[in-house]
Amino acid sequence: QGEKHPDYTISLNNLACLYKDMGNYTAAEPLFLEAKNIRKEILGEKHPSYAISLNSLATLYMAMGNYTAAEPLYLESKNIRKEVLGEKHPSYATSLNNLAQLYQVMGNFTAAETLFIESKDIRKEILGEKHPDYANSLTNLAGLYKAMDNYSAAEPLFLEAMNICKEVLGEKHPDYASSLNNLAGLYQAMGNYPAAEALYIESKKIRKEALGEKHPSYAESLNNLAGLYKDMGNYSVAEPLYLECLEIINGRVNQNFAFLSEKEKEMYFKTKSVYFANFYSFSLKRKIENPEITKTVYNNVVKNKGLLLKSSTAMRTAILNSNDTALISQYQKWIALKKEISKLYSTQISKRKKNPEELEKQANVLEKELVKGSQVFNDFKKLQNLSWESVKNSLKPGEAAIEFLRFKSESAYKDTVIAKDTTGNVIAREERPKQSDSGDKIASTASRNDEIITYCALIVKPDSKYPEMVKLCEEKELAALLKKSGDNENTNVNNIYGTNQNANEALYKLVWQPMEKELEGVKTVYYSPDGLLHKISFSAIGKGKNTYLCDTYNLKQESSTGKVAMPENSLIDKNLTACIIGGIDYSADSSKNSIWQYLPGTLTEANAITTKLSEKKISVTTYTGKQSTELAFKNIYSKEGGNPTILHIATHGFFYPDPEKITKEEKTNEKVETGTVAFRGGNSGFGLWQFVKNKNPLMNSGLVFAGANNVWNQRFVGEGEDGVLTAQEVTQLDMTKTKLVVLSACETGLGDIKGSEGVYGLQRAFKMAG
């Protein structure tokens, strides 16, 4: 029938649905897209089959955690079905149901409830009360009520759905297993552990037989049953279930990272993070009886710390070293596209000749092709096989490695025990426990005011039998300590770290003192922060009057302690070269209204470093004054450029926090620290809407070059460079031959903190550049 026949698109879509249900998103997406494009061409955008394609693709993106991509597809599908099929059609009810699921996951419970109820009523009227789709509506509405802690409303709906699935689909069907799992999650939340256990076990057995031992739903069953045993205090039974679950999840992550772009990887991994958090929370208690469980914790932390950065740099390195001319050409095309996008975002909207958002989609598709193409050359899997033993064996006497980790702990119980079974396990508590992270998928994103985020440290030394897992503090304690309390940065720094005259040990007691016993005899510490710990200067933590951590330890910060086991090439080279930039002229005129003031100290600095390096016979190129343009800098890393071993930039730097977060803080009348207007780039013109109000953390972080004042004072920018090198632009350079970058500028260590991925700003950009 050919590739343009409707029946062929049905085959494509169905095969894609199978791959999606198996968790093989790599295989599913291109089939969904092919079916959608053919249907759009041969059937048109108002055809029900085209609406099916939109809905199917949205469901895939939702499973991958890409909610922003899923929503417009769900909405378009719903509107087509409403217009073409009418409001009493089962397909329209399905659209309402799917959109409601998405809104629930996004935390919009009010919108979700309205859509769930409307979908349920249509299905009841059109399909009847014995139909699986009606049972699905009952389940979803019950899941929402459970997420809202309305257990009395949820239970009858869960029970009715379970009975329908049992009668209509049979006791071996995956949907029946899901209904058992959902009801078990409710009973667990209500404290009825015996009832929950029986249902979880039955659900797990059905899923294993029907779906197999590598299926995401089977992993969910393992996680949920383990969580129940943890709540019951039966840790020895919970442990193997957690371990089996993590093995499946890690396999899935490696499989799907083989085709996703970085942004998609970030969203996808977020959907799996709850499994790791549950295991870490469990291990903190389990280590008392089985201290060796910390080996698995460390291995998973090293595997997942900076996962996206490892993946993207591995891709870049693999491509550039592959000798595959076609792949390298494709990579250069992608970089050129990213440069064009950056340029468009730097152009006034009315002056743009192309839509940068459309180019973003093209770049995303091209990046995914590059990820696939680089797999054969890629050492990402090798990086993922690093273990705590690798780190231990690389440490010398007197050295230690510390992996900091943060995770959401399950909510605290009002822990009055009133019943135990014959073996002493807790089976009931006086107070109803708060909802845990386990349970059915949809309800797992419920908002919880009593959720606790815990910080721990994993310590490894050359003679360690296993990593020592030490609990440090809760995030709310750390956040309170780091909260800005002064009118300027100096006051804030002194309040956090103390001064020589007024010691402040609060930070030391919170994040370091709990580890001191394990660090006896240690002089050098390799450490990798997580979460808010990225905001701390560990060297400056005060231990008493005029005593700081840097007086006791040689502290070396790493993106992951796995770096200890994979030392980079030495900086020592026979042909060292350097590029020094300083004394920049920021404006073509001497206007008193210049946003960026001239920094005479940076010229002194640049000249002094140039002299020192020249004395050591190192070839130096120095840029000062009007020569220090953004274009000149980019040319250093062009094909014709020298790609220096050492790069030193002395200039103004800036980082502006997420504008949406600032607006939210302003609405709640909280003080927003904006700094002095002159220093931070003014409050009007091009600079304001291009950098200050940009939502991309790699676009609102940058370094200032010659002529930048002209840009910040303009309403729009013309042709050429704008004088501001953003972090986004840095990522597009090939800096693999540069071994050391020194940013001698304010705010260059700042950025948006994204958990274990670290700080999204200039420092990440230079790492991504190689």
Side-chain angles (χ1 to χ4, degrees), residues 495-514:
N495 287 342
I496 294 168
Y497 299 97
T499 63
N500 288 347
Q501 292 73 35
N502 299 302
N504 184 351
E505 297 183 35
L507 194 55
Y508 165 72
K509 289 177 179 177
L510 209 59
V511 303
W512 197 270
Q513 191 177 48

Side-chain angles (χ1 to χ4, degrees), residues 651-666:
T651 184
H652 284 293
F654 64 85
F655 168 73
Y656 295 97
D658 186 335
E660 291 184 346
K661 289 181 182 176
I662 287 183
T663 305
K664 187 178 178 182
E665 288 172 2
E666 287 172 339

